[in-house]
Amino acid sequence: MQATTRRMPPFLHPKHFNRTFIPLNRSFHASSGLRALDLAFDYHENGGKATGAPIVFLHGLFGSKKNNRSMSKALARDLNRPVYAIDLRNHGDSPHDKTHKYGALAEDTENFLRQHNLRESTLIGHSMGAKTVMTVALRSPSSCANIIAVDNAPVDAALASDFPMFVKGMQKVEEAKVKTQKEADKILEPFAKDLPVRQFLLTNLIKAPNESYLKFRIPVSILAHSLDDMADFPFTNPDENRFEKPALFVRGTKSHYVSDETIPIIGRFFPRFELVDVDAGHWVISEKPEEFRRAVVEFLQDKE
């Protein structure tokens, strides 16, 4: 059995809440005054046949809308719903900005929903994208019908040590002003041992305008300084902010981002949540696409 679904009770016993994950001394407000950016996106409509409520798909750190192309097409086909796969700020074809925090990412996403007049949307996000859709749901519950968060939880939790190493490797690649992907891969290898991860990171490597060398299209220095912000979560008090609509949390059982200890906290912020375990690491969608697709389809068909 590759995937296991657990429907969680809406209320969990207070004895589960005595850990120190949720200090109650700070809160987050929607009126943050952040400047929203216009986001690039791909649109998947199954040849014009997809007419249901929209799905908006958000990638993770160092990713782009291209990462979710195959899954977006599959969901548009299986659910008869159009899918917007977006590039978050500082990623893909979207604009760059020195501010890279979840408040800003959520502001951009909400602006995207308004610009395209998307109502009753499902927001799907992986990793950084997962915390972004959680942030949108908690600060603006009316902006979506439900959310699907993939391998992340609404807590402050340190990123895996891999991510700072990835940044160091990408900085080394840029310093070398490489001319081929092969050169870049060789420099990156000590910082990212797994070939699929290097291939994922190198999808961001493009020829610099009017230059003979390759450069990352993502602003590596901005993202390097934002790693601590990506580990944080802007809400800390579920008594002040709660999303009462359906939410699906998909976690990789070989990943540490959604530990058993975080489940009661998820239940407080998202009392109608369901949990699906997939036998995978952090890269759930690429590692086990069929299990992920099936979990999403079952969750959303159940809500229709």
Side-chain angles (χ1 to χ4, degrees):
M1 188 72 176
Q2 295 286 352
T4 304
T5 304
R6 285 186 269 169
R7 298 179 186 271
M8 294 300 171
F11 299 104
L12 299 171
H13 196 279
K15 72 177 182 179
H16 296 295
F17 309 145
N18 59 2
R19 299 177 65 88
T20 57
F21 286 103
I22 309 181
L24 303 184
N25 59 353
R26 66 182 174 97
S27 60
F28 185 81
H29 302 282
S31 57
S32 56
L34 296 169
R35 180 175 68 93
L37 304 182
D38 293 337
L39 303 177
F41 69 99
D42 283 341
Y43 182 61
H44 306 278
E45 56 174 347
N46 194 29
K49 300 176 184 177
T51 58
I55 295 172
V56 181
F57 212 146
L58 284 64
H59 59 81
L61 188 60
F62 308 135
S64 75
K65 59 185 182 292
K66 293 181 179 179
N67 301 142
N68 298 318
R69 179 177 292 167
S70 296
M71 188 58 63
S72 294
K73 290 180 178 180
L75 295 177
R77 178 198 67 216
D78 295 346
L79 293 166
N80 193 36
R81 296 174 60 174
V83 180
Y84 296 77
I86 67 177
D87 280 335
L88 293 169
R89 63 168 55 200
N90 295 317
H91 289 77
D93 298 319
S94 285
H96 297 175
D97 191 276
K98 65 180 181 179
T99 300
H100 196 85
K101 300 181 179 182
Y102 287 114
L105 296 170
E107 189 83 22
D108 293 344
T109 304
E110 291 167 20
N111 182 59
F112 183 87
L113 296 173
R114 289 191 297 269
Q115 281 184 323
H116 297 274
N117 196 29
L118 304 183
R119 300 176 181 176
E120 296 300 308
S121 301
T122 294
L123 304 184
I124 304 177
H126 170 251
S127 193
M128 175 183 73
K131 280 192 172 179
T132 301
V133 302
M134 286 184 264
T135 301
V136 171
L138 291 172
R139 73 181 222 158
S140 182
S142 64
S143 64
C144 58
N146 45 56
I147 67 166
I148 299 173
V150 187
D151 212 53
N152 222 332
V155 297
D156 292 349
L159 297 180
S161 59
D162 293 348
F163 285 94
M165 292 294 289
F166 297 161
V167 167
K168 288 182 181 178
M170 287 189 284
Q171 289 173 329
K172 292 290 186 183
V173 169
E174 288 201 325
E175 290 169 6
K177 294 188 176 181
V178 300
K179 295 184 178 181
T180 67
Q181 289 268 339
K182 186 175 180 180
E183 290 178 73
D185 183 69
K186 186 174 182 179
I187 294 172
L188 195 57
E189 186 173 5
F191 303 92
K193 302 294 185 183
D194 296 334
L195 178 59
V197 173
R198 296 200 303 278
Q199 291 173 331
F200 162 71
L201 296 173
L202 291 174
T203 59
N204 292 295
L205 198 64
I206 61 173
K207 185 179 179 182
N210 303 316
E211 300 288 353
S212 60
Y213 60 88
L214 302 177
K215 184 178 181 180
F216 286 101
R217 63 179 174 176
I218 56 176
V220 177
S221 60
I222 291 176
L223 296 177
H225 287 105
S226 303
L227 291 180
D228 287 344
D229 292 316
M230 293 298 92
D232 290 342
F233 188 66
F235 292 95
T236 57
N237 189 352
D239 293 329
E240 294 181 359
N241 300 92
R242 189 175 291 115
F243 185 68
E244 303 283 357
K245 299 177 183 179
L248 174 66
F249 282 73
V250 182
R251 68 171 175 176
T253 55
K254 299 175 183 176
S255 171
H256 77 278
Y257 284 103
V258 187
S259 65
D260 288 342
E261 288 84 358
T262 65
I263 292 175
I265 300 166
I266 294 172
R268 292 189 69 188
F269 280 116
F270 303 94
R272 293 180 61 188
F273 88 105
E274 300 173 24
L275 177 69
V276 169
D277 284 340
V278 176
D279 182 24
H282 181 57
W283 312 94
V284 177
I285 301 172
S286 60
E287 289 182 43
K288 295 294 177 69
E290 176 55 26
E291 286 84 345
F292 175 78
R293 184 202 62 80
R294 187 165 58 244
V296 170
V297 169
E298 290 177 359
F299 172 75
L300 292 177
Q301 284 181 338
D302 187 44
K303 304 298 175 287
E304 293 177 353

